[in-house]
Amino acid sequence: MDTRLAEPTSHLTHAQDDPAEALRREILEKVAEYYRLKYANRPFVPGQTRVQYAGRVFDEAEMMTAADAVLDFQLTHGRFGREFERKLGAFLGVREVIPVNSGSSANLVAVSALCARQLRHGLRPGDEVITPAVTFPTTLAPIVQNRLVPVMIDCQIGSYNIDVSQLEAARSDRTRAVFVPHTLGNPVDMDAVVAFCRAHDLFLIEDTCDALGSTFDGRPVGTFGHMGTLSFYPAHHITTGEGGAVYTGSHRLARLARSMRDWGRDCFCGYESPPDGKCGRRFEWHIPGLDERYDHRYLFTEIGYNLKMTDIQAAIGVAQLDKLPLFVEKRKKHFRLVYEGLRPYEEHLILPTWHPKSDPSWFAFPITVRTGAPFTRKQITRFLEDRNIETRYLFSGNILQQPGYRGIERRVVGDLPNSDIVLRGAFFVGVYPGLDPARIDYLLTAFHDFFAHL
Ligand SMILES: Cc1ncc(COP(=O)(O)O)c(C=O)c1O
């Protein structure tokens, strides 16, 4: 693993002349030593060690950059934040990355940016947004929170993605946007979604919180539409603890997204705070009805939030990004191992499917217990959990059945039968980079034992 610090810093270069910087170096070396003593060894004791579905994968590099950021004590967006934006943008091939404090915040910022007052043809209350019923709650929540109307369509069993054949049926005169999650890292058929959005002049947001590193037709997901969103919660492809990001190729949308993230203010100086602002005319801004000009720093042109990421989180993210290509490779490899291992049980389990143009960087391995199988989802997940193998249900299932979402204003296409199947019979196990051949072998043996005892 690459254990270098994020960028060569002046304090490290001049460590010999500066006692404070020599001490910093010593502290960081101690942090690395602490990592090696405390965390480097992850022995696997079958049955006792939990086979997690996801988790933090890190080494001394993350702990050192985090400690380095603590010693900077910048706390808010600083050198690590800038480095994180640059590196993540380079990985995705996008011009604009807006770090935030969670994937849910990324979704809120993305939808809110499209609702911005300053966006002349932006979304307005009552406009419709097409989105699937099988989803993560905070993909749907910002639609509701912005007083837009979700139009729910069904998913496909196997891919667990939006059923693109229902897009046309979902459309009305009020339809203005499509918000698609790439479920568990599995890319949606973007040929169909992009063609639909282009034909009807719709905004497109992609929730790629589970799909960092996934491509469709060789292109990173999240770059097909107007904005993509990411989560860096420990279950995801890289982690900053809590954290997330919005990304886009549009400077205009990026500026609105930053404004939504940063209290709704117009000023784009960030923390740099030059006396006359980055705009060079900080005290010359006009508020209608006010004779005197106003300070740009406190000119609020949107109704926003504060959803910013700290520099300590960004520092961890910088080190994680070095590992991302390897993480993606491991996720794919683990997926293949689990897929091959579960093929003998296809009579009772529906295994995942993906589009021929997709190259998924899988978040997890989804499985649906077939209707008529001689066991229930509860029985098989209980069996696995009793053997210390972590399982999860597929997020909300049909979210309209969830207590918090039953009464929301919405339109629905059909009866969502597949979403109900997911609610009743789908679950997932892990393929994350923290697994290894021994853990995957244990997981597959547990499935084998379950079927041997049927
Ligand atoms: C598809 C999807 N969107 C959004 C989120 C929310 O991300 P966060 O937990 O960082 O708020 C998640 C969380 O797992 C997710 O899976």
Side-chain angles (χ1 to χ4, degrees):
M1 291 286 173
D2 188 349
T3 57
R4 281 168 306 158
L5 296 173
E7 57 188 33
T9 55
S10 54
H11 29 268
L12 290 176
T13 330
H14 301 303
Q16 289 136 322
D17 325 323
D18 182 342
E21 292 316 323
L23 185 56
R24 178 192 282 255
R25 178 167 287 244
E26 199 184 322
I27 291 168
L28 297 183
E29 277 160 13
K30 289 283 177 205
V31 167
E33 198 181 325
Y34 181 80
Y35 164 81
R36 288 191 287 272
L37 285 175
K38 176 89 180 167
Y39 299 112
N41 252 334
R42 297 173 58 243
F44 176 59
V45 184
Q48 281 179 38
T49 313
R50 194 141 174 80
V51 178
Q52 292 171 219
Y53 89 89
R56 301 156 302 155
V57 180
F58 66 102
D59 61 21
E60 62 265 52
E62 282 77 4
M63 294 188 72
M64 287 166 81
T65 48
D68 205 17
V70 169
L71 295 176
D72 278 1
F73 219 64
Q74 163 71 22
L75 303 181
T76 52
H77 182 85
R79 68 178 170 112
F80 288 107
R82 288 190 293 278
E83 176 74 355
F84 184 63
E85 285 180 19
R86 191 191 61 69
K87 269 178 130 167
L88 182 56
F91 180 86
L92 292 164
V94 293
R95 289 187 292 192
E96 298 278 4
V97 171
I98 302 104
V100 292
N101 61 1
S102 74
S104 304
S105 298
N107 286 347
L108 179 61
V109 164
V111 176
S112 302
L114 293 185
C115 296
R117 283 150 193 256
Q118 296 168 94
L119 200 61
R120 258 186 62 217
H121 301 290
L123 304 179
R124 297 293 173 257
D127 284 349
E128 291 181 349
V129 181
I130 298 171
T131 201
V134 166
T135 190
F136 194 82
T138 52
T139 311
L140 177 56
I143 299 173
V144 178
Q145 285 156 335
N146 276 292
R147 293 184 290 152
L148 304 166
V149 179
V151 182
M152 317 296 297
I153 67 180
D154 212 358
C155 72
Q156 286 173 321
I157 299 296
S159 78
Y160 306 100
N161 276 327
I162 197 159
D163 180 351
V164 293
S165 72
Q166 295 193 347
L167 285 169
E168 210 44 75
R171 197 170 61 84
S172 80
D173 290 347
R174 292 301 307 255
T175 308
R176 300 289 321 285
V178 174
F179 193 176
V180 283
H182 297 277
T183 308
L184 301 181
N186 192 7
V188 170
D189 175 353
M190 293 314 286
D191 285 344
V193 172
V194 168
F196 176 74
C197 290
R198 282 214 183 112
H200 304 294
D201 197 17
L202 306 177
F203 286 113
L204 171 59
I205 313 177
E206 296 170 72
D207 180 334
T208 61
C209 284
D210 298 342
L212 182 56
S214 295
T215 60
F216 183 87
D217 206 10
R219 182 169 161 183
V221 292
T223 63
F224 289 83
H226 293 85
M227 280 180 282
T229 62
L230 287 167
S231 165
F232 309 129
Y233 187 73
H236 295 255
H237 291 58
I238 59 167
T239 189
T240 59
E242 302 291 351
V246 176
Y247 54 104
T248 177
S250 156
H251 292 310
R252 173 109 181 96
L253 289 177
R255 176 140 183 225
L256 292 170
R258 286 197 182 93
S259 174
M260 288 298 173
R261 181 195 62 178
D262 304 353
W263 309 284
R265 76 171 174 188
D266 200 62
C267 170
F268 45 88
C269 287
Y271 292 99
E272 288 161 40
S273 213
D276 283 320
K278 273 190 187 166
C279 57
R281 47 191 195 97
R282 182 179 149 199
F283 293 101
E284 291 167 35
W285 291 76
H286 180 60
I287 289 188
L290 196 73
D291 292 340
E292 205 180 305
R293 294 296 156 120
Y294 213 73
D295 181 351
H296 197 206
R297 286 193 81 77
Y298 288 155
L299 182 68
F300 298 98
T301 39
E302 299 294 339
I303 299 175
Y305 310 88
N306 177 0
L307 306 170
K308 294 191 290 295
M309 178 185 266
T310 69
D311 217 38
I312 301 165
Q313 290 169 297
I316 297 167
V318 163
Q320 287 269 286
L321 282 170
D322 287 335
K323 299 183 173 73
L324 181 55
L326 183 65
F327 285 171
V328 171
E329 211 179 287
K330 284 198 171 184
R331 284 181 178 274
K332 290 178 183 175
K333 184 174 150 212
H334 295 166
F335 179 89
R336 282 195 298 273
L337 289 173
V338 177
Y339 189 85
E340 285 310 317
L342 294 187
R343 277 180 89 156
Y345 314 117
E346 280 195 272
E347 185 192 346
H348 298 312
L349 302 179
I350 301 174
L351 299 189
T353 57
W354 56 97
H355 193 281
K357 288 190 179 177
S358 291
D359 186 9
S361 165
W362 293 95
F363 175 85
F365 192 97
I367 298 165
T368 300
V369 176
R370 286 191 194 275
T371 320
F375 58 89
T376 61
R377 172 178 61 181
K378 188 172 173 196
Q379 283 169 324
I380 189 165
T381 51
R382 185 74 266 159
F383 187 90
L384 296 169
E385 294 278 352
D386 285 347
R387 279 149 192 78
N388 246 334
I389 295 166
E390 209 169 41
T391 61
R392 289 284 185 277
Y393 288 178
L394 211 169
F395 300 145
S396 65
N398 176 357
I399 196 157
L400 294 179
Q401 305 274 12
Q402 293 276 351
Y405 286 84
R406 278 175 184 236
I408 60 166
E409 188 188 349
R410 81 287 186 130
R411 269 200 316 112
V412 182
V413 177
D415 299 331
L416 308 174
N418 288 345
S419 304
D420 284 334
I421 289 173
V422 173
L423 181 74
R424 294 206 182 88
F427 68 101
F428 59 78
V429 292
V431 295
Y432 87 110
L435 299 180
D436 54 15
R439 286 166 169 84
I440 292 177
D441 220 45
Y442 178 79
L443 177 129
L444 292 175
T445 305
F447 272 96
H448 179 73
D449 289 349
F450 178 80
F451 285 101
H453 290 101
L454 263 190

